[in-house]
């Protein structure tokens, strides 16, 4: 049994600020990593800022976005029950993980960037040599994370995340609270994106891994698992 522990942090927000349009977690950005980690025997914790129910963005359940893996999990009553009972960040405070992963969905733009529990968790784990990963709008949860020296975590790092043109394609430019691409650049990161919008891109910069959009979910899971295993092998060889 593999003893690696991962935490997947998801949003509690179900509506955009105007209160008229539904949002939430983008399902595939959770399911692909969850599935890959489950198959490896990792211990998986699903947590959210407040705990409890995790709203799902209805757009992620459409025929063209609900991929095979996500469909399997969405039709699994036990998995749905998990999403109704996420741990709160307060409940997992002080626990240690091998990976902290921020799943996306537009809801995260409201409850991730200014959440000090997320910031403290990421800072502690990153500075302890653990892996941090974020995908799509979940990357916004990295915006205000500072290291012990006061510098922003993403300053000077090569990263990606949902870009402004993709926001336009999604029809959400007038709905979102800020421009994620611009905000990431303002923090001094080396922001990069795929040549063709809405196609997969995953960037690894040391122990920081970011994915651009929902279409990066499958590759993201593959890269994260690969890097986790590499890290585990390295630590084993150092002990020998």
């Amino acid at each position: 049994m593999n003893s690696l522990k991962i935490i997947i942090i998801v949003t509690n927000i179900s509506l955009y600020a105007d209160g008229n349009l539904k949002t939430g977690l983008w399902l595939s950005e959770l399911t692909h990593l969850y599935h890959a980690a489950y198959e490896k025997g990792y211990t998986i914790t699903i947590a959210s800022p407040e705990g409890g129910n995790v709203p799902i963005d209805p757009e992620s359940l459409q025929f063209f976005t609900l991929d095979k893996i996500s469909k399997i999990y969405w039709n699994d009553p036990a998995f749905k029950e998990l999403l109704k009972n996420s741990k709160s960040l307060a409940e997992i405070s002080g626990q240690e993980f091998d990976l902290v992963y921020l799943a996306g969905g537009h809801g995260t733009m409201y409850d991730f960037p200014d959440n000090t529990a997320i910031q403290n968790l990421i800072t502690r784990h990153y500075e302890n040599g653990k892996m941090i990963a974020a995908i799509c709008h979940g990357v916004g949860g990295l915006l205000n994370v500072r290291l012990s020296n006061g510098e922003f975590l993403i300053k000077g790092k090569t990263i990606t995340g949902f870009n402004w043109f993709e926001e336009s394609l999604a029809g959400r430019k007038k709905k979102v609270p800020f421009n994620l691409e611009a905000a990431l650049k303002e923090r001094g990161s080396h922001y990069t994106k795929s040549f063709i919008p809405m196609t997969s891109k995953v960037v690894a910069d040391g122990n920081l891994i970011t994915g651009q959009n929902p279409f990066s979910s499958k590759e993201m899971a593959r890269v994260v698992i690969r890097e986790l295993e590499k890290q585990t092998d390295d630590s084993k060889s150092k002990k020998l």
Side-chain angles (χ1 to χ4, degrees), residues 22-87:
K22 289 182 178 180
T23 183
L25 162 72
W26 194 274
L27 189 63
S28 70
E29 293 169 10
L30 165 67
T31 54
H32 281 273
L33 182 69
Y34 185 94
H35 179 69
Y38 180 81
E39 288 204 316
K40 289 288 181 183
Y42 297 172
T43 301
I44 309 164
T45 300
I46 297 177
S48 58
E50 302 298 326
N53 187 55
V54 179
I56 307 298
D57 191 317
E59 291 290 322
S60 72
L61 304 176
Q62 299 290 333
F63 175 76
F64 59 92
T65 51
L66 191 66
D67 57 46
K68 186 179 175 183
I69 291 288
S70 300
K71 196 171 187 178
I72 290 169
Y73 280 95
W74 189 239
N75 290 326
D76 179 355
F79 183 74
K80 277 189 170 177
E81 201 60 29
L82 263 183
L83 295 182
K84 287 179 185 171
N85 297 283
S86 67
K87 299 280 187 188

Side-chain angles (χ1 to χ4, degrees), residues 41-153:
Y42 297 172
T43 301
I44 309 164
T45 300
I46 297 177
S48 58
E50 302 298 326
N53 187 55
V54 179
I56 307 298
D57 191 317
E59 291 290 322
S60 72
L61 304 176
Q62 299 290 333
F63 175 76
F64 59 92
T65 51
L66 191 66
D67 57 46
K68 186 179 175 183
I69 291 288
S70 300
K71 196 171 187 178
I72 290 169
Y73 280 95
W74 189 239
N75 290 326
D76 179 355
F79 183 74
K80 277 189 170 177
E81 201 60 29
L82 263 183
L83 295 182
K84 287 179 185 171
N85 297 283
S86 67
K87 299 280 187 188
S88 71
L89 291 177
E91 284 179 82
I92 58 90
S93 177
Q95 291 185 35
E96 296 297 320
F97 301 93
D98 297 287
L99 165 73
V100 178
Y101 175 84
L102 304 181
H106 281 97
T108 63
M109 299 186 84
Y110 298 97
D111 61 351
F112 276 21
D114 297 317
N115 189 292
T116 53
I118 290 177
Q119 292 164 22
N120 294 337
L121 186 74
I122 291 173
T123 300
R124 187 174 88 242
H125 281 77
Y126 186 79
E127 294 188 334
N128 284 339
K130 302 301 183 182
M131 195 165 294
I132 307 299
I135 188 167
C136 200
H137 293 93
V139 179
L142 304 175
L143 275 173
N144 298 317
V145 177
R146 289 182 187 269
L147 301 175
S148 298
N149 62 8
E151 294 278 14
F152 286 111
L153 165 66

